[in-house]
Amino acid sequence: MVKEFWNQRYATNETVYGKEPNAFFKLFIDLHKPGTVLLPAEGEGRNALYAAKKGWTVHAFDFKTFKANQQYDLVASIYVHLPPALRKTFHQELIRSIKPGGFLLLEAFAKEQIEFDSGGPKDEALLYNAPTLCNDFKFLHLLNCEQKELRLKEGEFHSGKAAVLRLTGQKI
C-alpha cells in the first residue's frame, strides 16, 4: 500500500516537494567540504541534484529495503517516516553506513505536526519526538537535536507552518 501511495503521488505531480533542496540539508552541504553522501528515500532527487552540483558524490534511492553495504561521509534522512519497528532497524542501518568522522543529518516531522496541515503523516506513530531520536542515535555524538516550528516552502505537499525535528550527529 505504501509503495502504491508514493507511485501515485509522483505520477500525478511534477515536483511534489519543489525544486529547491531542503533548507537544513542545503545549509549543511554549503558549509562542508564535498565528500560522499547517501540519501535514502530521496523521492524526486532535489537534494541529490543540489549536492551533486556542489561536488558531492551522491548515492540515492527511493523505495526499497535498505542494508548498509558502504560507508559515507554524510547520510541525510530528510522526512523519512516509517512505522516504529521498521524505523529502528532503518536507523541502525543508517548508523552503519556512516564513515568514522562522518555525519548524520535528519529532519522529520515532530508529533506536534498532527496539528498542522503543512504535510507529513497523519498517523502519530509515524511522527517523531526528540527522546526517541536521541535513543535511536545514542551511539553518535549528537551535535544538535532540536524541535522547532518553522514555515515550510517545499512544494505543495510541504507548505506552511510545521513542527519539525532536526538532528545532526557525528560518528566518532
Side-chain angles (χ1 to χ4, degrees), residues 81 84 109-112 114 121-129:
H81 293 273
F109 287 114
K111 296 242 183 238
E112 290 76 6
I114 208 89
K122 295 305 173 196
D123 178 350
E124 195 172 324
L126 299 176
L127 300 171
Y128 292 92
N129 61 45

Side-chain angles (χ1 to χ4, degrees), residues 44-90:
E44 298 165 303
R46 65 194 172 109
N47 297 313
L49 289 171
Y50 185 79
K53 287 178 185 173
K54 291 292 190 169
W56 289 74
T57 300
V58 178
H59 295 248
F61 64 87
D62 194 26
F63 189 83
K64 71 176 188 178
T65 304
F66 170 55
K67 291 288 183 199
N69 58 11
Q70 188 173 337
Q71 290 190 316
Y72 302 87
D73 298 304
L74 170 64
V75 174
S77 178
I78 307 296
Y79 294 106
V80 180
H81 293 273
L82 302 168
L86 185 55
R87 182 207 77 236
K88 191 158 185 72
T89 301
F90 178 73

